[in-house]
Amino acid sequence: MTRRWSGEWALDASGDDPVVDVLITSFGRPAELAVTLSGLAAQEGVPFRVIVSDQTEGEAESFLQPAVSAMVRVLRAQGREVHLERHLPRRGLAEHRHYLLDLANAPFVLFLDNDVWLEPGSLDRMYRALRAAGCGFVGSAVQGLSYLPDSRPHERSGLSLWPGDEVSPERIRPGSEGFARWPLHNAANLAHAAAELAIPPGGWRLYRVAWVGGCVLFDRAALVECGGFDFWDQLPPGHAGEDVAAQWRVMERYGGAGIIPSGAVHLEAPTTVTDRAIDAAHVILGQ
């Protein structure tokens, strides 16, 4: 059993050894972090551990907020390990992700943003898809459900499924054919694509991506072999695109895919990454 039900919350018992380490970089947005943790509390199937690293300073520290503390208690009562880390000073997202990856030891790692709610069953579905495909990562691109009335078939025209869900390595750079896939993840395009494909409950299809933001499950050994986020010290603190750089390196060696349907919902809160002057993928991998 991977999740203890409420009748067992008061028992002294540990859960299964984690197969997935869920790694959450956090800064501000305690309400959103609580929702993110609530989504994890609804997951079952694959055993997982949660590691949250917070860089909020002062009295606004996210871990002190009642809603966050309550969801941490729920996860622990369910038998999940939850580790709360403080990691300062802030040196940018690449360094923060590098720090979390160093703390992980499960065979798979999910990098999950602190403003994403996961539909029940999403983590197990991603895990099973990644194991079946044998590639470097499978990502659930985040969707803004406020855009459900806004169907954009012209942005979904580039959707390309992996035949038989068999994923191959590929090289993505700005200007390449694969780079042009990025509009697939706008608005609620994946929700519309899932409806058009009529995927049955619990099923999935894997598709070609430019990159995936917000919710990506990696084979940890593949990510580490490709360098992970070891390039962090080549970047100033103000940057974006560090996830793209890491994914492109993994894609070239092991391949990567997106999963439809995506159970990842973007909470549509304002971004905390306000300094995007430096594109990490450009600095690390060039054009």
Side-chain angles (χ1 to χ4, degrees), residues 9 65-79 82:
W9 286 351
Q65 302 305 307
V68 174
S69 297
M71 295 318 305
V72 169
R73 289 192 291 268
V74 168
L75 284 159
R76 287 172 173 164
Q78 291 175 336
V82 181

Side-chain angles (χ1 to χ4, degrees), residues 107-249:
F108 299 90
V109 293
L110 175 70
F111 278 95
L112 182 65
D113 285 0
N114 74 338
D115 61 344
V116 177
W117 177 84
L118 281 182
E119 175 192 32
S122 295
L123 180 56
D124 190 62
R125 187 167 66 244
M126 293 173 68
Y127 167 72
R128 289 185 289 119
L130 181 53
R131 289 292 304 272
C135 56
F137 69 81
V138 165
S140 287
V142 298
Q143 307 162 92
L145 296 191
S146 69
Y147 292 91
L148 277 178
D150 180 12
S151 181
R152 304 180 181 185
H154 61 288
E155 292 187 343
R156 300 194 299 278
S157 62
L159 177 63
S160 176
L161 302 177
W162 284 104
D165 291 331
E166 296 182 1
V167 180
S168 301
E170 57 180 337
R171 187 178 190 273
I172 305 293
R173 294 292 188 275
S176 68
E177 180 180 354
F179 186 84
R181 302 167 189 154
W182 65 264
L184 287 171
H185 296 161
N186 284 346
N189 282 336
L190 290 187
H192 291 113
E196 292 163 356
L197 291 169
I199 297 174
W204 69 79
R205 293 302 308 273
L206 299 181
Y207 65 98
R208 294 177 172 89
V209 297
W211 67 85
V212 183
C215 179
V216 183
L217 180 67
F218 288 92
D219 179 306
R220 184 173 65 88
L223 177 59
V224 170
E225 183 179 329
C226 294
F229 299 88
D230 62 359
F231 50 77
W232 70 267
D233 56 358
Q234 302 174 48
L235 299 168
H239 64 261
E242 78 296 331
D243 50 347
V244 179
Q247 288 175 41
W248 283 356
R249 297 202 298 188

